[in-house]
Amino acid sequence: MRDASPAKIYALHIGVIALLFALNFVLPDYHQGLFARIMALAVFAMGYNLLFGYVGMLSLGHAMFFSAGLYGAGLTVYHLGWGVPEAFVAGVACGAVLALVIGLLALRTSGVAFMIVTMMFAQVFYLLVLYFAAWTGGDQGLVIQQASRVITIGGASLDLTNPTVRYMSALTLFSVVLIATLAIARSRFGRVLVAIRENEERTKMLGYDTVANKLAAVVISGAICAASGAAYALLFGYVGSSFASVQYSILPLLWVLLGGAATTLGPLIGTLFMYYVTDIASSFTSAYLLIVGIALILLVLFAPKGILGSIRQRWLGWLP
């Protein structure tokens, strides 16, 4: 990858944020709501990308971290009557603590075994959600009332059910996480993660504690995914067990592969591409999954490194 000045790289990312900000004023209501959902879920994909793209660790348990944030925020609002800021912090904390515990256990394995272990833990989490249906709502889930989704700042109230407030809230979270992941990727810690992905034994020989670095990556990844889940619960007012299923661990993997693994903007592009291909195809036929499948096959054949990954490989080698 060819180096570029930090100013150029940060300018690109700030430009993307500015574009998303401007879109709020021109998008129709339906697409405004869809973009808010895409940005919230792109944060989920960015958290997954940190572990999969930069460390090279394939996990099938990230729905567990997303759902920890989802339920950590949703249940504290629904059952305890907490405010939005406190509930969001609780959701992120739940995801980070869970990621720490799972990381300490799962990092005893590697490769395929790590993937299987994370999937098993995720399935246990999913079954626990169903078992404690009296609290979690089980299959039906819980709907967070509009009155509980209001933030009061200096006497002013921000209603998260308002489309513009919801969009800007999703954009704020997305922007913070995007800049944070860019900073991590360009930091010494990020370089060590890439070194672990490329050759863990050689990284050990250079004196780095690879287990500690991988554990840190798991915790940060889990916290970011939990932030996405907490935001999703608070912005869209629903908490459900389907978000804890294995399918929701596969989706961020798909989004990252589509956009480009180990690219900072790839998760957004992959999530955006997947959502709109599905949305457009479903408007023409009930067999929309067939069209989505064909589109994915073509993309894999002609852009095996993902959309942004292939652009970086062929034309813009400086892209982070």
Side-chain angles (χ1 to χ4, degrees):
M1 183 179 70
R2 294 187 296 273
D3 290 332
S5 66
K8 183 178 181 180
I9 292 173
Y10 278 97
L12 170 65
H13 290 72
I14 292 172
V16 170
I17 294 170
L19 174 62
L20 291 171
F21 177 81
L23 286 175
N24 175 63
F25 302 101
V26 298
L27 287 173
D29 292 343
Y30 173 76
H31 293 283
Q32 183 189 46
L34 193 58
F35 259 77
R37 197 176 301 268
I38 287 170
M39 286 188 290
L41 291 176
V43 172
F44 183 21
M46 283 191 280
Y48 188 89
N49 185 43
L50 180 65
L51 192 64
F52 173 69
Y54 291 97
V55 193
M57 298 173 65
L58 176 60
S59 164
L60 288 181
H62 268 56
M64 170 175 49
F65 304 137
F66 179 86
S67 297
L70 187 85
Y71 281 99
L75 296 185
T76 50
V77 170
Y78 190 89
H79 291 295
L80 303 180
W82 286 17
V84 170
E86 296 85 358
F88 179 79
V89 172
V92 175
C94 287
V97 171
L98 181 61
L100 175 61
V101 174
I102 298 300
L104 289 171
L105 297 172
L107 286 176
R108 297 171 181 267
T109 64
S110 61
V112 176
F114 178 82
M115 177 189 72
I116 294 173
V117 168
T118 54
M119 182 177 67
M120 291 171 60
F121 278 122
Q123 189 64 17
V124 170
F125 186 91
Y126 174 66
L127 293 175
L128 286 173
V129 168
L130 296 180
Y131 183 78
F132 292 101
W135 284 88
T136 65
D139 283 328
Q140 294 182 347
L142 300 171
V143 176
I144 302 174
Q145 298 301 318
Q146 179 177 350
S148 302
R149 295 157 58 198
V150 176
I151 305 174
T152 302
I153 303 175
S157 295
L158 296 176
D159 186 356
L160 294 181
T161 62
N162 180 283
T164 299
V165 174
R166 181 167 53 201
Y167 184 98
M168 289 302 180
S169 299
L171 176 60
T172 300
L173 175 64
F174 171 81
S175 302
V176 170
V177 174
L178 177 64
I179 298 301
T181 53
L182 175 61
I184 290 173
R186 293 181 56 81
S187 69
R188 178 175 176 272
F189 172 61
R191 304 291 186 185
V192 173
L193 296 183
V194 173
I196 292 172
R197 181 191 69 196
E198 296 300 321
N199 193 321
E200 185 171 354
E201 291 302 318
R202 182 173 295 178
T203 306
K204 286 181 181 178
M205 291 175 60
L206 291 173
Y208 293 102
D209 187 340
T210 58
V211 175
N213 279 280
K214 288 195 291 184
L215 179 60
V218 170
V219 174
I220 296 172
S221 175
I224 292 174
C225 293
S228 173
Y232 197 95
L234 297 170
L235 293 177
F236 301 101
Y238 177 72
V239 174
S241 62
S242 61
F243 294 107
S245 65
V246 175
Q247 175 191 357
Y248 252 80
S249 290
I250 297 173
L251 285 176
L253 170 62
L254 182 60
W255 297 334
V256 169
L257 289 175
L258 286 173
T263 62
T264 51
L265 291 171
L268 171 64
I269 293 174
T271 308
L272 183 67
F273 177 86
M274 186 65 181
Y275 253 79
Y276 268 97
V277 168
T278 303
D279 184 68
I280 294 170
S282 62
S283 65
F284 289 102
T285 175
S286 58
Y288 64 92
L289 288 178
L290 175 62
I291 298 176
V292 171
I294 293 172
L296 295 179
I297 291 172
L298 291 174
L299 187 62
V300 169
L301 289 174
F302 296 102
K305 291 186 177 294
I307 297 171
L308 195 62
S310 296
I311 291 174
R312 179 172 67 182
Q313 182 184 39
R314 298 172 185 176
W315 300 295
L316 303 175
W318 56 270
L319 286 175

